[in-house]
């Protein structure tokens, strides 16, 4: 204690010069500097829901980019001649490794009449694939006249319960199919049946009454009713098991596989019944299996959705970029100069923002779509009013920063207006601008989907698709094929939720006043 | 007094903006090809005579003068490609009640519900009740209304069979029959409103609850509930009340998508119908509805701004 109080009388020899050589320097900071963006990123990472949203967005974007390459090109190209695909409409979503599980395996539960039940059984015999995977229950229904109908609740495999295709082939096509049959051993061409005599159902190959009810034999089996007369030039060795021609190709009562029309001079044509599942393989070179199913035109929903998503993302990003450019320049001029310039420019953007968006779109598509095409006109419509929000955002930021001392000092040093605007003020408002740029994207996608859903803008064609037109197509068949509307709806819902979460996280991360408040 | 001047100034500016937009749209519509072949009737001489009498071959500005003169008397012409030969104004007048009724029913329960949820969430901030409400709000604010409209339609109509697919308009707009058959539409529309109000109320109320006036209120001896009801709620209503007013103004414009999905014969459906009419869009309907939507949008904006000034004297925007 004593030597502390005796501070005035320290002997001179106790003193040492601290540093004989020159000056004491500050110690170099060992930690890395934390800049604006690094700090924002650090705080963004803490927000778990935004990180999850960002991951979902990445997945959706990958789906949009890679999706179109994952589908079978043949099938995609066939969209143009869409008549070929009509036979494969409303196929239920199916993933090949889930086959037989009852979930996502291309089957659905339906209640069918006696008549149809028999038809499915007969199809299984003829086509070799089970049309029904499971029979759940059966009941008897009485109608008002007391007539009883037997109803079956079954799980039908939509891939194997498609109606048989009737088609007229040229000689060349016919021979090609026969050759393919011999190579693969798969039956594509089925014997001609007398089904026209019953109910005009091409799937009917057995003896039946006028309403298509099967007349079974004593053992409860179907009685085949194939043509056994006529010319068919059938050379393939692939034949039905019940065909007498299987053992003896020249048997007189062998089944006839085609109805030959025309003459030898003009070239023959062949009217045939085609196995839908195997014909698909012949046409497109792969077994039908659509992860998202097909829609009412037979289009692959996975392909359509990823294409539509790609279009939406592209449109949204382009719109966002253009809005940023126009809005930043406009808002910077407004905010920096203020006064009369600001007032006049505000009036202009007030007027533009007063026009309802649907009106803008309609006017643009009426004026421009015939001249520059429908997509550019949609783009113009989005840009026309879209930049206003960005401009007012930038304007606010400029008002905030333009009177600060560092701007004054830059001006004193002789910096030009342009340099002050874009070198000194603009970077300070970058956080807000990035956030509003991100939040523009879900807005654009939502508007685009609404417009195409309402049919104000019609983007649906064989090649191009949009989520909105897929939704409106799916709405019509919601009872029979809910999967058509399910996938686009889930996609847009996921996209909007995750973009909003992501945008909110970004906004909080870029807001320095919130720093530390979450901890 | 300056409030009155402020209101007058705002209304004046709004009317100017409105006039410019209408002029712009009129000119743009008139620049579109409007060929005689696309008009109704078969007798070409008669069609040409009619168009001449209507002034279709006059210069556009002259046509605009005529348009304004007739429009002030409520005459917007007759349908030429859509609702052929019907008076545009009459058709519009008959459609408006359906849209208004639907929206009125929707907001009459969704605004109170949204406010209640928001208040509840704010009072239970960071408890599980708040998390549940906030998550729900997040989902319903983000997901587009048509997605849950599909869901509502699928569940109520296809799965449960409680409602019909289309609305029953036999008894007119202001009837129980119509409201009952439009319940799915009302439900689908209410989600967005409820979620929007809940989110806004929660944000405002949390801000007031953490502010210093609450500390003062507690310090002077009010209980927590007294302080909340007398001070926090009233203060948080300052920005929310204008929002409610704005909602009431826009009940007339309705939702294009919901009306389309549930085939409600409202203004939105009329608009879509007039655009998609074949062989050309019906410009008379389009013009009237453009004017209508523009006016509603501007009016809602101005009512919100003015009511801010009236409710809270601290915010007298534009007043120097």
């Amino acid at each position: 204690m004593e030597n502390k109080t005796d501070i005035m009388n320290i002997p001179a020899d106790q003193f040492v010069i601290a540093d004989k050589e020159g000056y004491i320097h500050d110690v170099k900071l060992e930690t890395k500097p934390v800049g604006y963006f690094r700090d924002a990123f650090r705080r963004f990472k803490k927000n778990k829901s935004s990180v999850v949203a960002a991951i979902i967005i990445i997945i959706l974007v990958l789906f949009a980019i890679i999706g179109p390459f994952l589908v079978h090109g043949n099938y995609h190209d066939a969209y143009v001649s869409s008549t070929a695909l009509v036979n494969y409409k409303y196929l239920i979503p199916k993933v090949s490794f889930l086959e037989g599980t009852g979930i996502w395996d291309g089957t659905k539960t339906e209640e069918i009449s006696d008549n149809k039940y028999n038809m499915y059984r007969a199809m299984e015999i003829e086509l070799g694939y089970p049309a029904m995977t499971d029979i759940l229950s059966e009941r008897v229904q009485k109608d008002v006249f007391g007539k009883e109908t037997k109803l079956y609740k079954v799980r039908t495999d939509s891939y194997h319960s498609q109606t048989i295709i009737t088609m007229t082939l040229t000689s060349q096509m016919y021979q090609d199919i026969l050759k393919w049959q011999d190579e693969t051993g798969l039956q594509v061409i089925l014997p001609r049946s007398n089904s026209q005599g019953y109910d005009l159902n091409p799937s009917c190959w057995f003896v039946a009454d006028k309403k298509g009810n099967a007349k079974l034999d004593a053992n409860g089996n179907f009685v085949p009713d194939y043509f056994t007369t006529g010319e068919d030039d059938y050379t393939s060795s692939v034949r039905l098991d019940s065909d007498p021609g299987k053992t003896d190709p020249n048997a007189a009562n062998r089944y006839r596989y085609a109805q030959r029309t025309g003459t030898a001079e003009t070239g023959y044509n062949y009217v045939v019944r085609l196995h839908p599942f195997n014909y698909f393989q012949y046409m497109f070179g792969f077994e039908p299996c659509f992860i998202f199913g097909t829609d009412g035109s037979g289009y692959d929903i996975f392909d359509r959705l990823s294409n539509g998503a790609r279009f939406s993302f592209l449109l949204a990003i382009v719109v966002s970029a253009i809005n940023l450019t126009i809005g930043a320049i406009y808002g910077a001029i407004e905010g920096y100069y203020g006064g009369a310039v600001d007032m006049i420019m505000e009036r202009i953007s007030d007027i533009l923002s007063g026009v309802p968006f649907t009106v803008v779109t309609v006017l643009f598509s009426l004026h421009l779509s015939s001249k520059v095409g429908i997509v550019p006109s949609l783009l113009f419509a989005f840009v026309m009013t879209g930049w206003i929000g960005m401009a007012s955002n930038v304007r606010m930021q400029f008002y905030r920063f333009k009177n600060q001392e560092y701007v004054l000092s830059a001006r004193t040093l002789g910096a030009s207006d342009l340099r002050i605007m874009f070198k000194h003020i603009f970077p300070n408002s970058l956080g807000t601008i990035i956030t509003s740029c991100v939040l523009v994207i879900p807005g654009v996608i939502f508007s685009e989907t609404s417009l195409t859903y309402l049919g104000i803008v019609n983007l649906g064609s064989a090649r191009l698709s949009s989520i909105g037109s897929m939704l409106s197509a799916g709405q019509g068949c919601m009872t029979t094929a809910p999967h058509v509307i399910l996938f686009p709806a889930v996609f847009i819902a996921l996209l909007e939720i995750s973009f909003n979460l992501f945008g909110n996280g970004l906004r909080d991360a870029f807001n320095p006043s919130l720093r530390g408040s979450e901890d | 007094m300056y409030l009155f001047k402020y209101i007058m100034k705002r209304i004046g500016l709004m009317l100017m903006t409105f006039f410019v937009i209408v002029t712009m749209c009129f000119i743009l519509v008139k620049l579109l090809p409007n060929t005689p072949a696309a008009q109704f009737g078969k007798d070409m001489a008669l069609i040409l005579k009619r168009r001449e009498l209507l002034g279709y071959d006059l210069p556009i500005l002259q046509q605009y003068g005529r348009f304004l003169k007739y429009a002030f008397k409520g005459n917007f012409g007759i349908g030429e490609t859509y609702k052929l030969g019907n008076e545009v104004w009459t058709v519009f007048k008959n459609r408006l009640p359906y849209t208004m009724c639907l929206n009125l029913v929707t907001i009459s329960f969704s605004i109170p519900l949204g406010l209640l949820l928001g208040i509840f969430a704010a009072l239970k901030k960071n408890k599980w009740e708040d998390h549940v409400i906030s998550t729900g709000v997040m989902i319903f604010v983000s997901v587009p209304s048509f997605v849950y409209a599909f869901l509502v339609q699928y569940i109520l109509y296809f799965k449960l069979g409680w409602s019909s697919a289309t609305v029953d308009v036999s008894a007119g707009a202001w009837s129980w029959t119509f409201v009952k058959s439009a319940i799915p539409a009302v439900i689908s529309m209410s989600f967005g409103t409820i979620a929007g109000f809940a989110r806004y109320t929660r944000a405002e109320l949390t801000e007031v609850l953490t502010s210093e006036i609450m500390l003062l209120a507690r310090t002077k001896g009010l209980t927590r509930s007294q302080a909340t009801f007398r001070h926090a709620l009233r203060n948080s209503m300052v920005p929310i009340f204008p929002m409610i007013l704005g909602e009431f103004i826009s009940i007339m414009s309705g939702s294009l998508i919901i009306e389309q999905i549930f085939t409600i014969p409202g203004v939105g459906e009329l608009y879509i119908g007039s655009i998609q009419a074949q062989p050309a869009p019906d410009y008379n309907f389009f013009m009237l509805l453009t004017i209508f939507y523009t006016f509603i949008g501007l009016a809602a904006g101005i009512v919100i701004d003015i009511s801010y000034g009236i409710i809270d004297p601290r915010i007298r925007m534009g007043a120097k």
Side-chain angles (χ1 to χ4, degrees):
Chain A
M1 288 308 273
E2 218 162 295
N3 54 358
K4 265 193 185 168
T5 47
D6 200 22
I7 203 156
M8 301 304 286
N9 303 314
I10 304 168
D13 58 298
Q14 296 267 320
F15 285 96
V16 188
I17 293 171
D19 190 0
K20 279 184 187 166
E21 284 94 40
Y23 303 100
I24 302 171
H25 295 281
D26 284 338
V27 181
K28 192 183 165 195
L29 287 172
E30 291 297 320
T31 50
K32 278 188 181 158
V34 178
Y36 182 51
F37 285 98
R38 181 176 293 274
D39 181 46
F41 183 65
R42 215 164 56 178
R43 272 180 296 136
F44 180 79
K45 271 196 303 192
K46 277 191 194 151
N47 194 340
K48 287 286 171 293
S49 62
S50 300
V51 175
V52 173
I55 293 169
I56 294 176
I57 291 172
I58 292 172
I59 294 172
L60 293 179
V61 171
L62 281 182
F63 166 72
I65 296 172
I66 302 174
F69 298 107
L70 293 180
V71 295
H72 295 274
N74 295 342
Y75 198 71
H76 179 87
D77 293 340
Y79 285 177
V80 182
S81 59
S82 57
T83 46
L85 306 179
V86 172
N87 299 303
Y88 306 106
K89 61 185 176 186
Y90 299 134
L91 293 177
I92 313 270
K94 176 179 178 182
V95 184
S96 48
F97 62 82
L98 287 176
E99 194 146 12
T101 55
I103 313 153
W104 213 320
D105 64 346
T107 61
K108 67 169 174 182
T109 309
E110 55 180 348
E111 194 163 55
I112 53 173
S113 65
D114 204 10
N115 182 344
K116 196 151 191 191
Y117 175 73
N118 271 329
M119 179 63 83
Y120 281 161
R121 274 181 53 212
M123 280 167 85
E124 182 173 345
I125 295 169
E126 189 183 36
L127 305 177
Y129 300 105
M132 294 175 291
T133 55
D134 205 2
I135 297 157
L136 302 168
S137 66
E138 48 184 273
R139 65 189 177 98
V140 176
Q141 193 188 39
K142 259 189 193 167
D143 66 6
V144 280
F145 305 110
K147 198 177 152 234
E148 290 185 347
T149 334
K150 209 165 185 189
L151 292 174
Y152 294 87
K153 201 168 206 179
V154 296
R155 263 195 103 69
T156 21
D157 188 331
S158 64
Y159 290 79
H160 298 305
S161 56
Q162 298 282 318
T163 326
I164 286 182
I165 308 161
T166 325
M167 208 188 266
T168 308
L169 303 174
T170 62
S171 186
Q172 182 61 42
M173 285 156 78
Y174 185 62
Q175 294 304 330
D176 283 348
I177 295 180
L178 292 185
K179 222 174 101 197
W180 189 83
Q181 277 198 158
D182 281 335
E183 279 166 14
T184 58
L186 293 172
Q187 181 96 42
V188 175
I189 297 177
L190 298 166
R192 295 275 299 156
S193 83
N194 199 12
S195 66
Q196 272 76 359
Y198 308 123
D199 68 342
L200 294 176
N201 185 344
S203 297
C204 186
W205 56 271
F206 42 83
V207 180
D209 65 13
K210 283 266 187 260
K211 285 177 179 164
N213 295 317
K215 287 180 184 164
L216 305 176
D217 68 5
N219 300 328
N221 291 326
F222 294 99
V223 184
D225 193 12
Y226 292 118
F227 278 102
T228 51
T229 53
E231 291 297 327
D232 63 354
D233 300 331
Y234 191 77
T235 52
S236 168
S237 60
V238 180
R239 288 168 185 271
L240 283 191
D241 287 339
S242 60
D243 186 358
K246 180 117 181 157
T247 44
D248 172 20
N250 296 320
N253 63 344
R254 67 186 173 83
Y255 295 163
R256 301 301 192 270
Y257 285 78
Q259 184 187 1
R260 194 170 76 181
T261 59
T263 57
E265 291 87 58
T266 55
Y268 292 122
N269 283 320
Y270 299 89
V271 182
V272 290
R273 291 168 73 228
L274 295 168
H275 189 308
F277 194 79
N278 289 349
Y279 180 62
F280 186 99
Q281 297 186 52
Y282 164 72
M283 283 276 286
F284 305 114
F286 67 100
E287 244 187 52
C289 177
F290 297 103
I291 185 166
F292 287 176
T294 60
D295 66 6
S297 312
Y299 294 156
D300 179 2
I301 292 178
F302 183 88
D303 188 10
R304 299 287 274 180
L305 187 61
S306 54
N307 261 315
R310 184 159 61 168
F311 174 76
S312 294
F313 275 125
L314 264 181
L315 184 78
I317 289 168
V318 171
V319 168
S320 179
I322 298 178
N323 281 352
L324 171 67
T325 321
I326 300 179
I329 295 172
Y330 197 92
I333 295 173
E334 271 184 318
Y336 186 76
Y337 291 107
V341 177
D342 181 33
M343 213 182 75
I344 292 166
M345 288 173 89
E346 268 295 271
R347 276 304 81 177
I348 294 173
S349 58
D350 255 11
I351 288 169
L352 279 178
S353 67
V355 191
F357 180 65
T358 38
V359 173
V360 178
T361 339
V362 171
L363 282 177
F364 266 89
S365 71
L366 287 177
H367 270 283
L368 288 177
S369 60
S370 56
K371 289 181 196 118
V372 295
I374 194 136
V375 176
S377 77
L378 186 63
L379 184 68
F380 279 131
F382 272 114
V383 170
M384 184 76 193
T385 52
W387 57 267
I388 295 169
M390 182 68 75
S392 69
N393 220 327
V394 176
R395 175 174 171 267
M396 290 279 270
Q397 299 294 323
F398 266 68
Y399 263 106
R400 221 174 96 195
F401 289 112
K402 74 173 179 185
N403 289 325
Q404 296 204 350
E405 279 76 12
Y406 77 96
V407 176
L408 186 66
S409 76
R411 191 175 293 127
T412 321
L413 287 171
S416 67
D417 281 356
L418 264 182
R419 193 180 159 81
I420 293 175
M421 274 183 193
F422 290 102
K423 190 90 186 169
H424 295 294
I425 303 181
F426 194 71
N428 270 312
S429 44
L430 213 54
T432 356
I433 290 166
I434 290 175
T435 310
S436 53
C437 250
V438 168
L439 285 174
V440 160
I441 293 175
V444 170
I445 294 180
F446 171 68
S447 305
E448 183 250 338
T449 310
S450 314
L451 289 171
T452 46
Y453 171 75
L454 291 171
I456 293 179
V457 177
N458 191 8
L459 287 171
S461 69
R463 287 279 176 192
L464 197 63
S465 61
S466 65
I467 298 165
S469 44
M470 291 179 77
L471 286 173
S472 72
Q475 201 197 351
C477 55
M478 221 196 274
T479 32
T480 50
H483 71 271
V484 178
I485 199 165
L486 175 72
F487 291 103
V490 167
F491 178 83
I492 188 92
L494 256 184
L495 183 118
E496 295 291 329
I497 293 176
S498 45
F499 257 107
N500 276 324
L501 277 177
F502 177 66
N504 288 348
L506 218 54
R507 189 187 55 206
D508 292 348
F510 276 124
N511 188 349
S513 64
L514 286 178
R515 182 185 289 132
S517 66
E518 310 95 335
D519 303 328
Chain B
M1 198 58 211
Y2 57 69
L3 186 65
F4 178 73
K5 250 170 82 182
Y6 169 62
I7 293 174
M8 281 296 119
K9 191 181 145 200
R10 287 304 308 260
I11 291 178
L13 273 179
M14 181 204 118
L15 286 179
M16 201 185 79
T17 313
F18 177 64
F19 184 74
V20 173
I21 293 173
V22 171
T23 313
M24 220 160 62
C25 289
F26 185 85
I27 292 172
L28 281 173
V29 164
K30 280 294 161 187
L31 285 176
L32 287 167
N34 189 0
T35 49
Q39 303 282 323
F40 66 96
K42 292 254 167 20
D43 187 350
M44 205 40 130
L46 197 68
I47 293 170
L48 289 176
K49 188 73 195 165
R50 178 179 167 273
R51 289 168 65 86
E52 193 193 316
L53 286 174
L54 283 171
Y56 276 32
D57 29 4
L58 291 174
I60 287 178
L61 280 183
Q62 235 169 317
Q63 284 192 48
Y64 185 53
R66 290 175 72 126
F67 172 78
L68 284 185
K69 205 171 83 189
Y70 288 123
F72 270 113
K73 294 176 192 160
N75 179 2
F76 288 85
I78 59 173
E80 289 175 344
T81 56
Y82 183 66
K83 302 270 171 201
L84 210 64
N86 282 307
E87 261 187 60
V88 169
W89 179 251
T90 319
V91 173
F92 170 73
K93 219 170 55 189
N94 295 337
R95 291 297 190 97
L96 197 54
Y98 291 104
T99 302
M100 282 175 71
C101 174
L102 189 69
N103 285 284
L104 210 58
V105 172
T106 307
I107 64 172
S108 66
F109 74 89
S110 52
I111 291 182
L113 202 58
L115 292 181
L116 280 180
L117 282 177
I119 293 169
F120 186 66
L123 293 179
K124 300 270 176 188
K125 191 168 188 281
N126 289 336
K127 298 212 177 78
W128 67 268
E129 294 97 332
D130 175 39
H131 291 308
V132 170
I133 292 175
S134 298
T135 313
V137 162
M138 187 65 226
I139 290 170
F140 281 113
V141 161
S142 319
V143 175
S145 62
F146 46 78
V147 172
Y148 37 75
F150 294 141
L151 207 64
V152 167
Q153 199 177 33
Y154 186 74
I155 293 172
L156 285 191
Y157 171 58
F158 293 128
K159 283 283 160 193
L160 300 173
W162 287 355
S163 64
S164 54
T166 50
V167 291
D168 186 353
V169 292
S170 55
W174 304 103
S175 65
W176 175 236
T177 336
F178 172 70
V179 173
K180 207 177 76 181
S181 63
I183 283 177
V186 169
I187 293 177
S188 329
M189 272 168 83
S190 66
F191 283 139
T193 320
I194 294 175
F197 272 96
R199 177 161 80 164
Y200 208 65
T201 312
R202 180 187 175 274
E204 287 301 326
L205 195 58
T206 5
E207 208 181 306
V208 180
L209 280 176
T210 50
S211 70
E212 272 141 22
I213 58 156
M214 287 303 288
L215 195 62
L216 178 69
R218 293 300 300 279
T219 325
K220 79 176 182 189
L222 296 182
T223 62
R224 184 160 184 234
S225 59
Q226 277 174 329
T228 309
F229 277 100
R230 289 190 202 163
H231 297 283
L233 268 185
R234 288 177 66 167
N235 267 299
S236 66
M237 279 304 129
V238 168
I240 292 167
F241 186 70
M243 231 175 104
I244 298 175
L245 276 184
E247 198 77 14
F248 267 97
I249 295 285
S250 46
I251 56 170
M252 281 188 274
S253 60
S255 158
L256 291 178
I257 291 205
I258 298 289
E259 288 190 10
Q260 184 83 355
I261 291 177
F262 295 99
T263 56
I264 287 154
V267 183
E269 211 226 351
L270 186 68
Y271 184 64
I272 304 288
S274 71
I275 294 164
Q276 288 175 338
Q278 290 300 328
D282 194 302
Y283 299 125
N284 290 343
F285 274 110
F286 180 71
M287 225 25 242
L288 172 63
L289 291 171
T290 301
I291 291 174
F292 173 68
Y293 281 128
T294 310
F295 186 78
I296 297 291
L298 292 174
I302 197 172
V303 165
I304 290 175
D305 278 2
I306 292 174
S307 61
Y308 262 123
I310 294 174
I311 294 169
D312 189 353
R314 286 172 303 180
I315 322 168
R316 287 273 150 87
M317 276 184 298
K320 297 267 153 59

